[in-house]
Amino acid sequence: MTVVASYVYRDGQRVREAPLTPEGLALEPGEFVWIGLYDPTDAEIEILVDRFKLHPLAVEDALAAHQMPKVEVYGRELFVVARTAMKIDDRLAYGETHVFVGDDHVVSIRHGSARAHNHLRTQLEASPLQLKKGPDFVLHGILDFIVDAYAPIVDDVEDSVLEMEQRTLDAFLSRLEIRRLFTLRRELLKFRRILGPMEEVLGRLQSLDLPCIDPDVRPYFRDVGDHVRRVNSRLGGLNDILSSVFEVANLLEQQRQGLITRKLAAWAAILAVPTAIAGIYGMNFEHMPELRWEYGYYAVLGVIAAICAALYVTFKRTKWL
């Protein structure tokens, strides 16, 4: 069975367990059921479709997964899709949570998300005055639970990015570090593509007159939307930092190449002096100035040494060496 938890609530208090049977899902006035599923089977979904009259299109999306965040209305039924995220090394792994919200039920279906809602359920049950608001407040709790997991991811990525920025200023980046920068940048861009639709979902929940959403609960969705916007804003800042790291790394590499080029040019100029003089005296002409002079060899060496020393001092002063 993939039923993680299924309980009936009345006046903010858990009253009994609700097995997926017609008798177990029978509700009295003033009660609602919160069912949590993880990768459910077709048979389990069929039971919920028969009991709560879930729309076929929403059920198809919930079973197929691979959906972007959205909110859809089917009569008195709300269907909400949210995306979960988890950081593994330098990559982000995404999951999905699909939520059916009706007047007397909340059905949450998780795909690929390792974070169970047990802690969330315990937290909401500890606040019966809030849970008394009904299924719409449970929906808020689920979305808030998902969005709260975004901030630690951004904190972790921010630490990595700032570490890379400092590393760029202290030394040249290796090929592995440059690959890591590209990986982080790509993952941040993917994450921002998730946050945009999440903002739209929360915007609709807080501003539109939707079924099953009490006006008193709308401010709670606005609070969750503010969290998503803050995370999105921080991601934008991290993207700017990554871009600056790339620019700084590129400028430092150009500077290093310029230094190497100047050094090579300086040493080439110094070595050109003995090469040129040796080349002239190596042409084996019979009549050359000072060819038979007793001290000609030492004089040529002295001239070569003097010119090379002068060039070395000159290049040293201009910081080419």
Side-chain angles (χ1 to χ4, degrees), residues 165-279:
E165 182 184 38
Q166 187 61 45
R167 168 68 178 159
T168 303
L169 298 175
D170 294 339
F172 295 104
L173 297 181
S174 64
R175 184 180 183 85
L176 182 62
E177 289 171 328
I178 292 175
R179 186 183 296 113
R180 186 186 180 197
L181 279 176
F182 275 103
T183 300
L184 287 173
R185 187 177 186 181
R186 182 173 61 250
E187 293 301 320
L188 290 182
L189 289 175
K190 290 181 181 178
F191 198 12
R192 296 197 76 180
R193 286 200 293 268
I194 298 297
L195 293 180
M198 283 293 291
E199 282 192 52
E200 295 179 7
V201 167
L202 291 162
R204 293 189 64 186
L205 292 173
Q206 77 182 36
S207 59
L208 298 183
D209 186 13
L210 299 175
C212 308
I213 303 296
D214 193 280
D216 294 337
V217 181
R218 290 181 188 174
Y220 293 93
F221 292 109
R222 181 170 62 247
D223 180 69
V224 180
D226 290 339
H227 292 172
V228 176
R229 280 186 287 273
R230 283 197 294 270
V231 170
N232 204 359
S233 177
R234 291 180 62 189
L235 286 181
L238 290 178
N239 274 325
D240 292 340
I241 294 176
L242 281 175
S243 298
S244 67
V245 169
F246 283 121
E247 294 174 1
V248 170
N250 187 39
L251 290 174
L252 291 176
E253 183 63 26
Q254 291 178 2
Q255 182 186 33
R256 185 180 70 162
Q257 291 179 357
L259 290 173
I260 293 174
T261 301
R262 288 199 296 269
K263 287 183 179 181
L264 291 175
W267 283 114
I270 293 173
L271 293 176
V273 174
T275 302
I277 295 176

Side-chain angles (χ1 to χ4, degrees), residues 272-308:
V273 174
T275 302
I277 295 176
I280 292 173
Y281 279 90
M283 289 188 292
N284 296 322
F285 288 112
E286 182 177 354
H287 302 288
M288 294 182 67
E290 312 299 340
L291 190 59
R292 299 183 180 277
W293 184 34
E294 179 180 359
Y295 301 103
Y297 172 74
Y298 303 102
V300 169
L301 290 181
V303 171
I304 291 175
I307 296 175
C308 290

Side-chain angles (χ1 to χ4, degrees), residues 70-72 78-82 97-100 139 143 201 205:
K70 62 180 180 179
V71 54
E72 295 179 345
L78 274 184
F79 177 63
V80 180
V81 179
T97 298
H98 301 193
V99 186
F100 294 89
L139 173 63
L143 295 177
V201 167
L205 292 173

Side-chain angles (χ1 to χ4, degrees), residues 2-69:
T2 57
V3 180
V4 179
S6 179
Y7 295 101
V8 174
Y9 297 87
R10 183 193 303 122
D11 295 328
Q13 301 286 344
R14 181 199 294 185
V15 293
R16 67 178 183 276
E17 191 173 358
L20 296 191
T21 62
E23 297 78 12
L25 296 178
L27 301 174
E28 297 180 1
E31 293 182 342
F32 74 92
V33 61
W34 178 7
I35 304 171
L37 305 175
Y38 182 79
D39 287 335
T41 63
D42 293 343
E44 292 168 342
I45 291 294
E46 191 64 31
I47 294 173
L48 298 177
V49 170
D50 292 340
R51 169 62 180 84
F52 300 115
K53 309 303 179 185
L54 305 181
H55 198 278
L57 292 177
V59 172
E60 181 181 353
D61 288 343
L63 290 175
H66 303 294
Q67 302 292 320
M68 290 297 289

Side-chain angles (χ1 to χ4, degrees), residues 154-164 238:
V154 178
D155 292 338
D156 197 1
V157 173
E158 186 177 37
D159 291 339
S160 299
V161 170
L162 294 178
E163 179 184 349
M164 297 294 288
L238 290 178

